[in-house]
Amino acid sequence: MSAIQIIPLNFYILLSAILFSIGVMGVLLRRNAIIIFMSIELMLNAVNLLLVSFSSYHSDGAGQVFVFFIMAVAAAEVSVGLAILVMIYRNTKTTDIDFLNKLKG
């Protein structure tokens, strides 16, 4: 029995649901683009927690492979997204998404 299997699976599901809900609320309620990026990362990590816990309980490595891909996508998102936000901040001096919505062509 591994260390992750000592804790019941329902606790991981509950914690993941709570983290995902906090991420959704952050995306929906906050106006700062950086906070929205952090909320998306929180949602991705909630999914990673679920994948690792189910993978460990079922002794299947496929979930951990998916976690690796999710982490790679998250790293790419952060690098590209933050580069775009830095350039927008240099030009507009704000990261408020209501102001950024006015940048439509």
Side-chain angles (χ1 to χ4, degrees):
M1 179 177 269
S2 69
I4 200 167
Q5 292 178 342
I6 294 172
I7 300 171
L9 186 60
N10 291 335
F11 290 171
Y12 290 109
I13 294 171
L14 180 65
L15 177 62
S16 179
I18 290 170
L19 289 175
F20 194 84
S21 299
I22 291 171
V24 168
M25 296 305 288
V27 168
L28 293 178
L29 298 178
R30 299 302 298 253
R31 307 277 35 122
N32 190 336
I34 294 173
I35 301 294
I36 291 172
F37 274 172
M38 290 188 330
S39 297
I40 291 170
E41 293 290 328
L42 194 60
M43 288 190 290
L44 290 174
N45 284 326
V47 172
N48 285 343
L49 177 66
L50 263 186
L51 286 172
V52 167
S53 61
F54 277 113
S55 173
S56 176
Y57 270 84
H58 295 289
S59 300
D60 185 16
Q64 294 174 6
V65 173
F66 281 124
V67 168
F68 177 73
F69 285 118
I70 289 173
M71 290 173 70
V73 169
E77 173 224 342
V78 167
S79 63
V80 172
L82 284 181
I84 291 170
L85 275 179
V86 166
M87 290 306 297
I88 288 173
Y89 182 77
R90 284 184 182 173
N91 291 327
T92 62
K93 301 296 182 202
T94 185
T95 56
D96 186 21
I97 60 169
D98 289 332
F99 178 76
L100 298 178
N101 194 20
K102 296 176 185 174
L103 297 178
K104 291 180 182 175

